[in-house]
Amino acid sequence: MSLLPYKVLFIDLDDTIWDFRRNSLVSLQQLYDEFALGRIFPDYERFKSLYMVANKELWEAYHHNRVTKDFLIVERFSRPLRQVGSALAEDHSFIMSLNDRYLDVLAQQKNLVPGAVELLEYLTKRGYPLYILSNGFAEVQSRKLESGGIAYYFKRLILSDEIGVTKPDRRLFDYALQIVGAEASETLIVGDNYDADILGAMNAGWSAIYFNRDNLPVAGPQPHYVVTSLDEVQCIL
């Protein structure tokens, strides 16, 4: 039995337990086919690579409140179109159609990160109350949990959309504690984003398990725990 004094566990959703990488690729391929984007981009790989670079940069900026949600959802599709010289980059109606369909298809995907179900089963049997803390959009995050078949493991989904503040901003972590009625000293988060999940939690006084899926170097303060697979979390908790 673990003697760690954690009374509440938060888990990040995208790429911590719900396989955003894999599900996003499936969704982008479907979008490419449905909207006949082959008439605009030389091939799917070009569309995918341009989108993924733009999306990653924009989410990093969004985490730190440098861009708004509305800007992100438009620019991540506009930028790839602009980069291949398409006038559709400035067609707001077309861009929003792409975004809405992408989010709809994405929310239907079922792929989970390897070990996710086993970890959730383990933590539930151990008696941990589980919560999701995510920067993802309210219109799709709950649907992802349902599609992945894991919604019933969680007592509540807490989203940055609720207060307009994103991880790593301490205000979101403090808000989460207020919602669940917990103290920072008895709370731990499992997350894959070192900046948003881990530094954010540590700065708020929480403990953190960094799910370092790609075994990246840790340039800043060392997390309390680092794992490269979800199986290892069971050894900690």
Side-chain angles (χ1 to χ4, degrees), residues 24-67:
S24 181
L25 291 178
V26 172
S27 304
L28 288 173
Q29 180 69 68
Q30 187 165 332
L31 200 71
Y32 184 84
D33 295 338
E34 286 186 11
F35 284 81
L37 297 180
R39 62 196 164 93
I40 302 169
F41 296 90
D43 51 43
Y44 168 69
E45 289 301 319
R46 180 65 170 156
F47 164 67
K48 180 188 75 172
S49 63
L50 290 175
Y51 171 85
M52 292 184 74
V53 169
N55 191 57
K56 184 176 186 298
E57 291 178 358
L58 288 162
W59 270 99
E60 288 295 327
Y62 180 62
H63 287 160
H64 292 279
N65 299 307
R66 293 196 294 267
V67 301

Side-chain angles (χ1 to χ4, degrees), residues 86 124 135 138 140 165 177 204 227 236:
S86 174
T124 299
N135 281 351
V140 293
V165 173
L177 291 183
V227 300
I236 298 169

Side-chain angles (χ1 to χ4, degrees), residues 13-14 134 136-145 157 159:
L13 180 58
D14 291 325
S134 172
F137 302 149
E139 56 266 37
V140 293
Q141 295 305 77
S142 61
R143 292 177 60 197
K144 291 176 182 176
L145 287 173
L157 173 65
L159 300 174

Side-chain angles (χ1 to χ4, degrees), residues 92-111:
H92 186 75
S93 177
F94 180 72
I95 295 298
M96 292 309 298
S97 294
L98 283 176
N99 179 73
D100 292 348
R101 182 56 178 154
Y102 169 72
L103 291 180
D104 185 49
V105 173
L106 183 67
Q108 298 174 44
Q109 303 308 310
K110 304 178 183 298
N111 298 301

